[in-house]
Amino acid sequence: MKQSMKTKLRLLLTEGPPTLPMTPLTALVLVIGLTLLEILLMLPVLELSDRLAAWPARASMVYVGGYLLFRLIIMLSVMAGDRHLPGRSAAGKEASGLWKSLGRWRWLPQAVLAMGIVAGFRILYDLTLGAWLLSLFPENEALLEAFEFLMQSPLAAGFYVLILAPVFEEFLFRGVLMRGILFKGFSPVYAVVVSSALFALVHLNMLQGIHAFLLGCLLGGIYLKTGSFSIVVLGHMVSNVIVWLQG
């Protein structure tokens, strides 16, 4: 039965996007294809940003606007399909029953717990493995320049770091890829590891890649436990907030 976009958005906020069955190889090809397409489509945006060099805040907003447009197109394209729309997962049903007495706010304790776990992980990582890796590998100069460019407009930087990146990355890696691999019949652990490895791959550097893999595994586990797309997005936002505050 064809479902309205309103229904699909409601399902997105609870279960996640429509499921697209895929093997790990299909997922890899999809990620590489989307990355190359994003780079190609961002070239005109970067040229326009260069022309606005005299107004760095505007250039930063144009840059983020280009990313927003591309990622909205991808998300809406996935949402437009009716095939394999998510049903209520076993994890979602269990969580719903556990917090039923809390009414419409039954998700709140899970969200708070998940955000606390992610925050603890991020702080512990920075103090241990992250600090050690930073002493071994130099930071990527291109990425540092890109972040400094974003910071020319705090509004654009905040929107990208706290909203656009977490929503799109969770939509793609936990929502589309991990769920798609699960739907194909692979084990939950396999789906989490593969989707996290692809998440690490798109960061294109060792320092961020290792953290992205571990964070992806953590968020994948939270997704499997809670059955909630919104909760993993909140967890991702918390991780990005900590990074942003660290400068």
Side-chain angles (χ1 to χ4, degrees), residues 137-153:
F137 303 102
E139 292 190 90
N140 189 300
E141 293 296 330
L143 290 175
L144 288 176
E145 289 179 8
F147 187 75
E148 289 175 0
F149 179 80
L150 271 179
M151 290 304 295
Q152 299 296 328
S153 169

Side-chain angles (χ1 to χ4, degrees), residues 23-190:
T23 64
L25 179 58
T26 306
L28 175 61
V29 172
L30 176 63
V31 167
I32 292 175
L34 286 177
T35 302
L36 292 175
L37 182 60
E38 185 169 284
I39 292 171
L40 179 64
L41 293 180
M42 282 300 293
L43 291 178
V45 176
L46 290 173
E47 183 178 347
L48 180 58
S49 297
D50 288 340
R51 294 184 179 184
L52 292 172
W55 300 278
R58 294 182 186 179
S60 178
M61 294 183 75
V62 167
Y63 181 76
V64 172
Y67 269 116
L68 173 63
L69 180 61
F70 171 78
R71 293 178 175 185
L72 274 178
I73 291 173
I74 297 300
M75 293 175 69
L76 290 174
S77 298
V78 173
M79 295 296 293
D82 286 307
R83 187 180 177 204
H84 304 302
L85 280 164
R88 193 68 177 163
S89 68
K93 290 178 181 177
E94 181 181 350
S96 177
L98 180 62
W99 303 110
K100 189 174 181 180
S101 61
L102 297 176
R104 65 186 296 181
W105 298 105
R106 61 179 174 266
W107 60 272
L108 186 58
Q110 288 182 307
V112 172
L113 178 60
M115 290 189 291
I117 290 173
V118 172
F121 160 76
R122 179 74 222 199
I123 294 170
L124 182 62
Y125 173 86
D126 289 337
L127 293 175
T128 55
L129 180 60
W132 179 65
L133 290 173
L134 191 58
S135 68
L136 296 179
F137 303 102
E139 292 190 90
N140 189 300
E141 293 296 330
L143 290 175
L144 288 176
E145 289 179 8
F147 187 75
E148 289 175 0
F149 179 80
L150 271 179
M151 290 304 295
Q152 299 296 328
S153 169
L155 178 62
F159 178 77
Y160 182 84
V161 172
L162 305 181
I163 299 177
L164 180 57
V167 170
F168 179 77
E169 289 172 1
E170 292 312 309
F171 182 93
L172 178 60
F173 291 98
R174 255 59 64 186
V176 175
L177 299 185
M178 192 185 84
R179 286 165 55 88
I181 295 170
L182 277 171
F183 190 89
K184 199 69 175 176
F186 293 93
S187 71
V189 172
Y190 189 77

Side-chain angles (χ1 to χ4, degrees), residues 215-228:
L215 177 64
C217 290
L218 179 60
L219 292 174
I222 290 172
Y223 200 172
L224 291 175
K225 185 65 178 176
T226 65
S228 172

